[in-house]
Structure formats: C-alpha cells, structure tokens
Amino acid sequence: MIELKTDASLDAMRASGRVVAHALAGARAAAAPGVTLWELDRAARKVLDEAGAGSPFLGYHPDWAPVPFPAVVCTSVNDAVVHGIPTDEKLGDGDVVSVDCGALLHGWAGDAAVTFTVGRPRPADTRLIRTAEDALAAGIAAAVVGNRIGDIAHAVGRVCREAGYGLPDGLGGHGIGRRMHEDPGVPNEGRPGRGVRLRHGMVLAIEPMVLAGGRDGHYTARDGWTVRTGDGSRAAHAEHTVAITEDGPRILTLP
C-alpha cells in the first residue's frame, strides 16, 4: 500500500532529510587514509545524536539478514556495493567508499547515500562515481506527477548502461515515510510508461548502484549483509529521498 504524504508531512520529512545530509557530510569529512570505518560511523552518529534523531539502520533486522545491523551507516568499500558493515578496517589512499545513512526525526525517515574517493582519485573511479550521480539526477528528473515508476527506472538504467556499467540484479530504491522501506519498489532499470503512476505526496528513495566491470552479478558476503560485485570490480552508490509534488521533484535529503 502506498501512502500519500500531506504537504505538512513532506516538510517534516525535509527536516529528517536535512539531518541525513549533515550526517553524511560528517562521515565524509572524517574519511582519510588510516581512518577506520567505525570512525565514519561515530562521526555520523554524533550528528544524529545532536539533532535528537534516531537511526532506522541501527538494529534493523529483515528476514534475510542473520543478525541485526549494528551501525547507523553502511560503509561499502571498493567492490562492496551496498550494506557494508563498519569494521576496524582502515581506509587506504585511493579507496572508493559509499556511505549510506538514514535518520528518524519526529516519526519520519530520511535515507541517502554518497560515494567518494579517499585521498588521490583514479580517473576510472571518478567516472564511475560521476555516472552514479548522473543516473540519480536522471531518475530525479523523471520523478514527476503523471509519470510512472518505470520512467524513473528507465532514466536511471539508461545512464548506467550507456556508460558501459553493470547494475546489480534485484537491488533498487523504495518508498519511504514513517518507515525506511515502504511501497513501491523503485528498480534501477525498466521500461518507460510501466508501473505505478506517480502522484503528489509520494516519497521515494531513488538509489542507483553502478558496477564498474559492466556485469550485473553480485553476491552477499559471509557477514550476511555486505553485497559485493561478482567480478571484484568497484562500485558506486548514490541516493536521495525525493518527494513527488505538483511543483516537480523535491529532494528532501539536501543539506
């Protein structure tokens, strides 16, 4: 069931989205060679705590996961696509890091992700990250009243495929509101004009995941959470929480 949010609810979600943006900025600012993934989590947690926000990630335990998620951010490094658990692993120069964060504020959720290079970037990684960001921008541009979910999926997928990258089978975005994951699902590839029609008050987390090797295969690591590319290539992930409004897409997870 898809819940249409009121304009007042969208304003409340904007407040939670702003916290997410600041938490991601805090984690990114903390990232440097020699810094551990747990330090990124602590930086984001500090922002959530100061804002009086909770974390929809911490303790999240879907049916497919062996254990509850133990952190407030997902930290996915190099060949990790999404859902990476923070550890004592130290970041190295040139690592590609995706940080995914959520916040719960006054009963409303926000969710966003950013990918960046630690230290000196490689040109191939810069192009990979830019493609994920461009695909997100294309998906957001298609998130208008009267379009369908398939229009968003097609816009995202076209950018990624034209760049020669893979898209992980079965992974994509989702509706969001009182809960982090709500209906409808938002695939990262699809046919235009298909799927649920977009209406004012729908809120979606749009999140391209791009695989550098050009293949779509992936697997879940032994920790039961981290999704890795099947061919060992690097990955990038970009995400915003976006409201569908009569005035056009409203990005709720900007600073």
Side-chain angles (χ1 to χ4, degrees):
M1 178 175 155
I2 299 172
E3 177 191 2
L4 299 180
K5 280 71 175 178
T6 66
D7 290 344
S9 297
L10 295 183
D11 289 340
M13 291 191 71
R14 174 70 181 105
S16 63
R18 188 176 288 110
V19 174
V20 172
H22 291 161
L24 286 173
R28 183 170 187 166
V35 171
T36 70
L37 299 180
W38 272 121
E39 289 177 88
L40 305 191
D41 183 80
R42 285 195 290 271
R45 193 178 302 233
K46 182 174 184 290
V47 174
L48 297 182
D49 290 345
E50 290 176 349
S55 169
F57 288 19
L58 184 63
Y60 179 56
H61 195 180
D63 292 342
W64 49 263
V67 295
F69 196 77
V72 303
V73 294
C74 299
T75 52
S76 304
V77 181
N78 294 334
D79 69 322
V81 186
V82 286
H83 303 162
I85 296 176
T87 65
D88 290 326
E89 175 188 352
K90 292 182 178 180
L91 294 168
D93 185 54
D95 279 347
V96 171
V97 184
S98 167
V99 181
D100 191 350
C101 183
L104 286 169
L105 186 67
H106 306 307
W108 293 102
D111 186 10
V114 63
T115 301
F116 53 88
T117 301
V118 176
R120 293 167 292 183
R122 303 189 311 185
D125 295 334
T126 299
R127 180 176 180 268
L128 177 71
I129 294 168
R130 185 185 304 118
T131 299
E133 294 170 345
D134 289 348
L136 175 58
I140 292 171
V144 297
V145 171
N147 270 1
R148 294 181 180 272
I149 290 292
D151 295 304
I152 297 175
H154 176 71
V156 169
R158 182 174 58 187
V159 171
C160 300
R161 294 301 190 189
E162 288 181 352
Y165 295 128
L167 292 164
D169 297 321
L171 297 178
H174 50 88
I176 184 171
R178 291 287 185 182
R179 293 175 292 112
M180 180 170 59
H181 292 134
E182 296 184 351
D183 291 332
V186 186
N188 283 327
E189 191 167 35
R191 297 178 63 182
R194 298 295 183 93
V196 174
R197 188 175 296 278
L198 305 181
R199 299 170 59 189
H200 180 90
M202 290 176 63
V203 184
L204 308 173
I206 302 173
E207 49 178 322
M209 305 160 199
V210 186
L211 313 186
R215 300 177 180 177
D216 299 348
H218 58 87
Y219 68 97
T220 300
R222 293 179 63 182
D223 63 19
W225 278 97
T226 306
V227 176
R228 297 190 179 277
T229 60
D231 60 6
S233 65
R234 292 186 168 193
H237 176 208
E239 178 182 16
H240 270 307
T241 295
V242 181
I244 313 300
T245 81
E246 294 290 353
D247 297 323
R250 182 183 181 189
I251 303 175
L252 302 179
T253 42
L254 291 173

